[in-house]
Amino acid sequence: GAGVSQSPRYKVAKRGQDVALRCDPISGHVSLFWYQQALGQGPEFLTYFQNEAQLDKSGLPSDRFFAERPEGSVSTLKIQRTQQEDSAVYLCASSFDKISYEQYFGPGTRLTVT
Amino acid sequence: DAKTTQPTSMDCAEGRAANLPCNHSTISGNEYVYWYRQIHSQGPQYIIHGLKNNETNEMASLIITEDRKSSTLILPHATLRDTAVYYCIVRDGYSGGGADGLTFGKGTHLIIQP
């Protein structure tokens, strides 16, 4: 079946622009995660949703980062007033429910801020 | 506050078994050991997880020492497609698994040589 999809796959933004990154999780998956992966580093946790509820946003690096999942399926990660240090791959993952051990990752969105 | 220590890189000949070590000396009783891998330009992929018993699935085997302070991921017959970064992750199982974000380190870059 279809896996986790993300769009766009690549995004170039000028410093100061706002961007929105989309994640389509596997249908029926309750849990959704966002991660940020800088070049040469492992992914770092940003935020977690259970259905439409954002239960953990402890990893969001600043108040310029905002995530939502209004209907408990598709999620959007928004970054306002992008900075060069926001350049990274943004990964989305979903899992069937909160007791599932496996997270399924999308291919990521590579954001480059110039 | 990395909970795991892995070698930065390893080489393995195609067709041989690849043995990837991981140290997790501060692991607590309810924490599981997970392995994920990330092939270039893709999202991470779940491989296997375990608590204290050795585990095997169609992808790999996981050997956990009796004191649980270290583990080894074994790919029995490595192929070129197994070239990837392999992440060893320690994760609290109390929450049920899916509710928490994963804490990746830098992982081991495994290169399979033809």
Side-chain angles (χ1 to χ4, degrees), chain A residues 12-30:
Chain A
V12 179
K14 292 187 176 177
R15 190 160 61 96
Q17 283 185 331
D18 298 347
V19 298
L21 312 179
R22 177 187 170 107
C23 172
D24 285 79
I26 293 173
S27 178
H29 276 196
V30 166

Side-chain angles (χ1 to χ4, degrees), chain B residues 70-101:
Chain B
S70 65
S71 60
T72 301
L73 178 75
I74 302 172
L75 308 178
H77 305 287
T79 71
L80 297 178
R81 288 175 295 179
D82 291 323
T83 292
V85 178
Y86 288 76
Y87 296 99
C88 171
I89 299 165
V90 165
R91 185 184 193 197
D92 192 342
Y94 181 75
S95 64
D100 297 331

Side-chain angles (χ1 to χ4, degrees), chain A residues 33 35 37 98-101, chain B residues 34 36 38 96 98 102 106:
Chain A
F33 304 80
Y35 294 84
Q37 185 171 24
K98 73 172 189 175
I99 63 171
S100 299
Y101 292 101
Chain B
Y34 284 76
Y36 278 73
Q38 188 172 24
L102 299 169
K106 291 190 176 182

